């Protein structure tokens, strides 16, 4: 927090007005205790222009892990729930999947308020589209509306990295939209996205284990595994793993569990697999006994 | 109050909008258009008024393309139509950009009708003196026909006529329209309808055929002439007499 002073005539700049009554405010804004507050603010909170001297800039980095992938059963969305302010964990139970309407989901990465507000606004636009045109809006159009809105506010410091997904006339669809106005479509050649500081870890797991023809259970397991590994290594991700499945008749929430419980579950799985592996090389009678006690 | 912009269109004591009704009178003076929706295609037929001797007839176009899949014909003031068609064309592309899909026929009819309505209520400007027949196929391939009028109302039709003698034409269509008509049947019906009122026969008729998935096709004059001749022969045959014998030997 920066120390601020009110323009009450008591600071060094007001020394020349010592003759006046003290304690009477001469302005209405509280300003940082520096010579040029505007330049100070622009230098330290400049989040978008990308100019070279930004080392001390307070980056509103998207500290989170969210991922979504298309597969034969629809779209799987998996997110963490940690919210950080620098090294301080502000919340461990943020809902990072935003339910825009019963058949459209959006994820949250970046500024929580920005994401929540603009995705809610998108919900309004989608509903108006439904009423005017008597049919549901396509995922392509919904994501385009959001991207156009964010592009209008380009340069105003919004921080939004979201994935818009749903099932429309053309099947399950997934789009990535961010505050630069960027919009990407998840095609069959690149059917998944991950957003946030933990995305690199999630991409590693997804790239190695993703298959299009997974069952719903396998997809959920893959989502859990990717989030687990991201939260394990990324300090800014953690808390609760929420998983949603997007199906033809709408989305459904399929899992919500603490990531440390995920670790226990994976450890138990690995132990069971290891036990089975070692027992298969010994006699079948001993194998049955060993497997049942694993 | 200074700056108060009083609309030119105001209510008459009996609740009517006279300016809108006068605009509809202007429409009734325009050259006739007929549109017929078949099972899969739509036929747009217009009466081509004879051009002045020194005028280039090709530049008088009453059938306008809005987009790859949408066409319209209008009756009324040519200049007003040009302005509306231009705005509609821009909106088609804007819709494609924002929604990543082609606009449905109903969407465009609603858009044009909304503009027409706006000019009956605000701005101190007179209404558009245009009724138009908007035809096309929705993204799922269903053929649609809509009519708009100077009041800004729009509705869907199976077959309709606007412009000169539109009441006569509509009655002609009502008596003979059949939901299961194929493309040739629709073309024949459109030609026969217009032949009732045009001066110089097939030369005064222009026809466009809209099919799903392809651009609208203008029917060549020779084909129209053939259809017209066949239609006249059928009419004679129905009437009986020597013409019937001639038709029978064809």
């Amino acid at each position: 927090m920066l120390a601020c002073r009110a323009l009450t005539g008591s600071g060094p700049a007001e020394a020349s007005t010592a003759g006046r009554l003290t304690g009477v405010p001469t302005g209405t804004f509280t300003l940082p205790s520096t010579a040029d507050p505007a330049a100070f603010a622009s230098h330290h909170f400049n989040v978008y222009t990308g100019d070279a001297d930004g080392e001390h800039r307070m980056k509103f980095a998207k500290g989170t892990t969210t991922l979504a992938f298309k597969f034969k059963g629809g779209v799987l969305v998996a997110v963490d729930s940690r919210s950080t302010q620098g090294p301080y964990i502000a919340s461990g139970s943020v809902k990072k999947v935003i339910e825009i309407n019963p058949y459209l989901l959006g994820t949250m990465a970046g500024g929580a308020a920005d994401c929540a507000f603009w995705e809610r606004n998108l919900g309004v636009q989608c509903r108006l589209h439904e009423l005017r045109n008597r049919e549901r809006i396509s995922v392509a159009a919904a994501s385009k509306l959001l991207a156009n809105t964010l592009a209008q506010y380009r340069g105003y410091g919004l921080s939004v990295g979201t994935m818009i997904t749903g099932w429309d006339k053309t099947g399950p669809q997934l789009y990535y939209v961010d505050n630069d106005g960027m919009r990407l479509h998840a095609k069959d050649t690149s059917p998944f996205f991950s957003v946030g500081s933990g995305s690199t870890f999630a991409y590693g797991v997804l790239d190695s284990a993703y298959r299009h023809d997974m069952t719903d259970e396998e997809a959920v397991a893959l989502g859990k595994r990717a989030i687990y590994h991201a939260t394990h290594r990324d300090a800014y991700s953690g808390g609760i793993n929420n998983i949603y499945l997007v199906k033809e008749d709408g989305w459904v929430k399929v899992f919500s569990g603490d990531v440390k419980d995920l670790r226990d579950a994976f450890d138990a799985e690995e132990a069971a697999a290891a036990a089975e592996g070692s027992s298969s090389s010994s006699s079948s009678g001993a194998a049955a006994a060993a497997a049942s006690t694993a | 109050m200074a700056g108060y912009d009083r609309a030119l269109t105001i209510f008459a004591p009996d609740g009517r909008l006279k300016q809108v009704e006068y605009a509809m009178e202007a429409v009734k003076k325009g050259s006739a258009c007929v549109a017929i929706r078949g099972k899969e295609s739509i036929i747009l037929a217009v009466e081509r008024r004879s051009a002045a001797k020194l005028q280039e007839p090709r530049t008088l176009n009453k059938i306008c393309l809005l987009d790859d899949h949408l066409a319209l014909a209008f009756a009324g003031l040519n200049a007003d139509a040009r302005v509306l068609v231009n705005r509609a064309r821009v909106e088609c592309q804007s819709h494609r950009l924002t929604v990543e899909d082609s606009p449905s026929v109903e969407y465009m009819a609603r858009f044009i009708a909304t503009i027409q309505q706006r000019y009956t209520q605000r701005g101190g400007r007179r209404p558009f003196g245009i009724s138009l027949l908007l035809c096309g196929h929705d993204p799922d391939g269903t053929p649609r026909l809509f009519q708009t009028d100077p009041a800004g109302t729009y509705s869907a039709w199976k077959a309709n006529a606007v412009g000169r003698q539109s009441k006569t034409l509509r009655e002609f269509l009502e008596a003979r329209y059949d939901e299961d008509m194929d493309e040739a049947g629709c073309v024949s019906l459109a030609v026969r309808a217009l032949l009732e009122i045009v001066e110089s026969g097939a030369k005064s008729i222009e026809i466009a055929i809209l099919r799903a998935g392809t651009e609208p096709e203008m029917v060549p004059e020779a084909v129209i002439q053939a259809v017209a001749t066949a239609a006249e022969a059928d009419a004679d045959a129905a009437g009986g007499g020597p013409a019937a014998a001639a038709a029978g030997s064809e």
Side-chain angles (χ1 to χ4, degrees):
Chain A
M1 270 311 241
L2 299 160
C4 297
R5 59 175 169 82
L7 283 174
T8 56
S10 56
E14 265 72 30
S16 59
T17 63
R20 287 202 205 149
L21 288 169
T22 54
V24 176
T26 54
T28 53
F29 302 107
T30 47
L31 295 173
S33 299
T34 96
D36 189 350
F40 182 93
S42 144
H43 178 70
H44 285 270
F45 303 117
N46 193 339
V47 292
Y48 70 92
T49 59
D51 41 324
D53 54 309
E55 273 154 35
H56 301 292
R57 211 180 301 150
M58 202 154 99
K59 281 191 168 63
F60 292 103
K62 299 173 175 125
T64 188
T65 309
T66 60
L67 64 91
F69 57 82
K70 277 207 295 195
F71 70 108
K72 80 164 184 230
V75 182
L76 185 111
V77 182
V79 301
D80 76 319
S81 70
R82 178 169 291 181
S83 162
T84 49
Q85 286 171 2
Y88 170 68
I89 297 179
S91 167
S93 52
V94 176
K95 290 195 60 182
K96 296 193 187 177
V97 174
I98 293 158
E99 299 159 5
I100 298 171
N101 60 42
Y103 53 92
L104 272 182
L105 286 177
T107 60
M108 175 194 293
D114 287 343
C115 288
F117 179 84
W118 289 109
E119 289 182 29
R120 191 104 193 269
N121 180 275
L122 175 63
V124 171
Q125 290 178 284
C126 291
R127 179 61 182 146
L128 286 173
H129 179 105
E130 257 179 49
L131 287 168
R132 287 179 182 138
N133 298 287
R134 272 173 263 172
E135 69 169 10
R136 284 188 189 166
I137 192 171
S138 65
V139 186
S143 59
K144 194 107 192 213
L145 287 175
L146 182 62
N148 287 345
T149 306
L150 294 176
Q152 256 191 305
Y153 286 90
R154 200 178 141 106
Y156 282 71
L158 287 184
S159 177
V160 172
T162 183
M163 295 178 283
I164 303 293
T165 179
W167 194 309
D168 61 27
K169 275 194 299 206
T170 59
Q173 298 296 349
L174 172 62
Y175 285 84
Y176 164 77
V177 177
D178 74 16
N179 51 268
D180 297 322
M182 165 79 93
R183 175 173 165 272
L184 296 171
H185 179 209
K187 302 203 198 13
D188 293 332
T189 44
S190 60
F192 48 81
F193 295 115
S194 180
V195 187
S197 53
S199 63
T200 42
F201 308 107
Y203 272 128
V205 174
L206 288 173
D207 281 331
S208 55
Y210 171 83
R211 280 177 301 115
H212 178 78
D213 59 346
M214 288 185 280
T215 63
D216 289 358
E217 291 75 26
E218 288 171 328
V220 172
L222 177 59
K224 284 184 192 173
R225 191 174 288 275
I227 292 289
Y228 162 68
H229 282 287
T231 57
H232 183 58
R233 283 294 177 181
D234 178 32
Y236 297 101
S237 303
I240 297 166
N241 176 19
N242 289 314
I243 301 196
Y244 288 69
L245 252 186
V246 178
K247 297 301 229 174
E248 190 164 2
D249 51 359
W251 53 259
V252 58
K253 185 167 187 179
V254 293
F255 176 77
S256 175
D258 201 310
V259 295
K260 66 171 167 42
D261 297 334
L262 285 182
R263 168 158 211 165
D264 297 337
F266 287 136
D267 285 348
E269 230 182 84
E270 271 162 44
E276 246 171 84
S278 61
S279 65
S280 65
S281 56
S282 54
S283 68
S284 53
S292 62
T293 56
Chain B
M1 204 194 304
Y4 180 63
D5 196 355
R6 196 146 162 248
L8 216 54
T9 312
I10 54 178
F11 279 113
D14 60 356
R16 290 150 65 186
L17 291 170
K18 298 279 193 177
Q19 278 296 310
V20 174
E21 290 177 17
Y22 300 157
M24 295 191 187
E25 290 298 315
V27 169
K28 285 192 203 149
K29 295 205 168 25
S31 47
C33 307
V34 164
I36 302 175
R37 188 189 82 198
K39 269 198 313 229
E40 281 158 10
S41 49
I42 308 173
I43 310 303
L44 249 186
V46 301
E47 169 196 11
R48 195 195 308 154
R49 284 252 179 76
S50 39
K53 260 202 183 156
L54 293 172
Q55 209 172 20
E56 298 265 23
R58 277 186 346 263
T59 59
L60 298 170
N61 221 336
K62 287 211 23 156
I63 298 183
C64 310
L65 274 190
L66 289 190
D67 201 348
D68 298 336
H69 63 298
L70 283 176
L72 65 79
F74 62 89
L77 302 172
N78 274 33
D80 287 9
R82 201 176 62 236
V83 167
L84 267 183
V85 165
N86 206 31
R87 292 220 207 143
R89 283 174 176 156
V90 172
E91 178 63 18
C92 279
Q93 299 312 310
S94 176
H95 186 280
R96 280 180 183 271
L97 182 60
T98 320
V99 181
E100 285 192 352
D101 207 355
S102 50
S104 67
V105 191
E106 195 262 341
Y107 178 90
M108 287 315 302
R110 188 169 8 119
F111 175 78
I112 295 173
T114 305
I115 297 180
Q116 287 185 285
Q117 190 279 342
R118 204 172 295 144
Y119 280 64
T120 69
Q121 199 174 20
R122 289 190 334 180
R125 293 173 283 196
R126 64 162 176 82
F128 285 92
I130 297 286
S131 280
L132 50 90
L133 295 172
L134 179 62
C135 319
H137 292 83
D138 282 345
D140 65 358
T142 321
R144 299 242 186 254
L145 165 60
F146 281 86
Q147 185 216 18
T148 75
D149 64 15
T153 51
Y154 74 100
S155 51
W157 291 75
K158 298 173 191 166
N160 203 354
V162 290
R164 198 164 72 82
Q165 309 264 46
S166 57
K167 197 153 172 289
T168 314
L169 288 170
R170 209 168 313 131
E171 282 162 5
F172 187 92
L173 292 172
E174 274 172 28
R176 290 162 188 73
Y177 179 80
D178 178 4
E179 293 231 16
D180 291 324
M181 278 193 300
D182 63 357
E183 196 179 285
C186 292
V187 174
S188 169
L189 177 57
V191 170
R192 277 181 290 147
L194 280 179
L195 279 177
E196 297 274 308
I197 62 153
V198 298
E199 308 146 349
S200 351
K203 275 210 288 282
S204 307
I205 300 178
E206 239 178 64
I207 302 197
I209 305 182
L210 280 78
R211 303 182 188 95
T214 61
E215 288 196 5
E217 177 204 323
M218 298 302 296
V219 178
E221 198 184 310
V223 176
I224 302 179
Q225 184 61 64
V227 175
T229 316
E232 274 157 23
D234 283 346
D236 288 341
S249 63
E250 271 180 328

